[in-house]
Amino acid sequence: MVGKIHSIETLGLNDGPGVRFVVFFQGCKLRCAYCHNPDTWNLNEGKDMSAKELLQKALRFKPYFEKSGGGITCSGGDPLLQPEFLIKFLKLCKEHGLNTAVDTSGFGSGNYEEILKYTDLVILDIKHVNKTGYRDLVNGDIEEFRKFTEVLKKTNVNLWIRHVVIPGITDGEKHIYELNKIISKFDNVEKVELLPYHTLGVNKYEAMGIPYRLQGIKPMCREKVKEIEDKFICVS
């Protein structure tokens, strides 16, 4: 079995604790209006790699993981879209004593219980707080996200939550209040990060000939996001 891999970051510092070996899986079902990596969407693209190949590359950095409390992060695209390969890779990582994180929008193809058996940390990107907003912003059905979160709530897996704050779309007080309600239903939240919307990926859309749906919306002010975080978010 091989997985479809978009790229690898060997010394990542943002996607989990410590130094991370970040594997960006190819393929995503969602079409987020602000996605800065549309080149990861197509599951038929990317490089074929076996789980053992990935593991061997990651093990070169084990001394860094041990010194920093780091490990492996499976990101994307969305790693949940390749469940069998993801499980195989996570199993291998655990057999070699590596910390594992799954960075996901919670929108995959099932087998969530098995995936979470071998996961130490989930970094969960909550795209929107209701069915209509979710559909409009990411072209997906929020019920699939809820299926994943219902499984996640039954585990002891640690959780970091991320949410992109977009001017006029996800920055309102009512929206943030609803976001807080969703967050409060998890018992194992270690961190909540509100991320300011940016336009750094727009050039990729132009190169790929894809219309950019948030044309005209300016990047979110970091100070404004910090203000929202301090005022409304209970976990930090």
Side-chain angles (χ1 to χ4, degrees):
M1 178 195 299
V2 293
K4 290 286 187 181
I5 305 302
H6 176 273
S7 57
I8 293 170
E9 181 181 1
T10 53
L11 296 171
L13 296 173
N14 299 313
D15 298 314
V19 174
R20 313 298 298 184
F21 182 87
V22 185
V23 182
F24 294 92
F25 283 51
Q26 186 74 31
C28 185
K29 286 182 180 177
L30 298 179
R31 295 293 179 266
C32 302
Y34 53 81
C35 178
H36 56 275
N37 288 316
D39 47 322
T40 65
W41 288 349
N42 190 342
L43 184 56
N44 295 317
E45 296 179 353
K47 181 181 179 182
D48 288 344
M49 292 187 73
S50 71
K52 285 185 179 176
E53 276 181 274
L54 274 179
L55 177 71
Q56 289 308 314
K57 286 182 180 291
L59 287 175
R60 296 175 196 166
F61 301 93
K62 193 171 182 180
Y64 294 98
F65 306 153
E66 291 174 344
K67 285 182 182 176
S68 68
I72 310 295
T73 297
C74 298
S75 185
D78 199 314
L80 298 186
L81 211 58
Q82 301 183 56
E84 292 181 6
F85 179 76
L86 176 60
I87 291 166
K88 188 168 185 178
F89 179 52
L90 291 173
K91 272 186 181 177
L92 281 176
C93 290
K94 297 312 295 176
E95 286 170 10
H96 287 78
L98 300 179
N99 176 275
T100 58
V102 172
D103 181 3
T104 177
S105 58
F107 202 100
S109 300
N111 226 346
Y112 300 140
E113 292 92 346
E114 191 69 10
I115 291 168
L116 293 173
K117 280 183 189 174
Y118 309 100
T119 303
D120 297 307
L121 170 70
V122 167
I123 303 171
L124 182 64
D125 186 354
I126 299 178
K127 302 293 185 182
H128 205 281
V129 298
N130 62 53
K131 193 175 183 71
T132 302
Y134 200 90
R135 185 194 60 222
D136 292 347
L137 190 60
V138 303
N139 284 349
D141 185 345
I142 200 170
E143 291 307 317
E144 186 60 39
F145 166 78
R146 288 173 177 158
K147 283 181 193 173
F148 177 76
T149 58
E150 287 308 307
V151 176
L152 179 59
K153 286 173 189 171
K154 295 174 184 172
T155 73
N156 294 318
V157 177
N158 294 325
L159 179 60
W160 291 10
I161 287 176
R162 289 177 172 170
H163 183 67
V164 177
V165 183
I166 308 168
I169 299 178
T170 60
D171 64 339
E173 285 195 18
K174 185 179 178 185
H175 179 91
I176 298 298
Y177 173 75
E178 294 297 327
L179 176 66
N180 244 341
K181 280 173 62 177
I182 294 173
I183 294 170
S184 70
K185 292 175 182 172
F186 293 98
D187 294 326
N188 43 358
V189 178
E190 291 185 334
K191 183 191 284 192
V192 176
E193 296 176 305
L194 296 186
L195 307 176
Y197 164 73
H198 62 73
T199 57
L200 298 179
V202 171
N203 60 328
K204 289 187 182 179
Y205 286 78
E206 291 170 356
M208 296 174 70
I210 303 171
Y212 188 69
R213 293 195 285 136
L214 299 186
Q215 201 68 251
I217 295 182
K218 294 183 178 178
M220 188 76 194
C221 170
R222 285 188 178 278
E223 288 72 22
K224 175 68 175 173
V225 171
K226 183 70 170 61
E227 186 182 310
I228 294 171
E229 205 169 69
D230 292 343
K231 187 174 179 181
F232 296 106
I233 300 299
C234 302
V235 182
S236 60

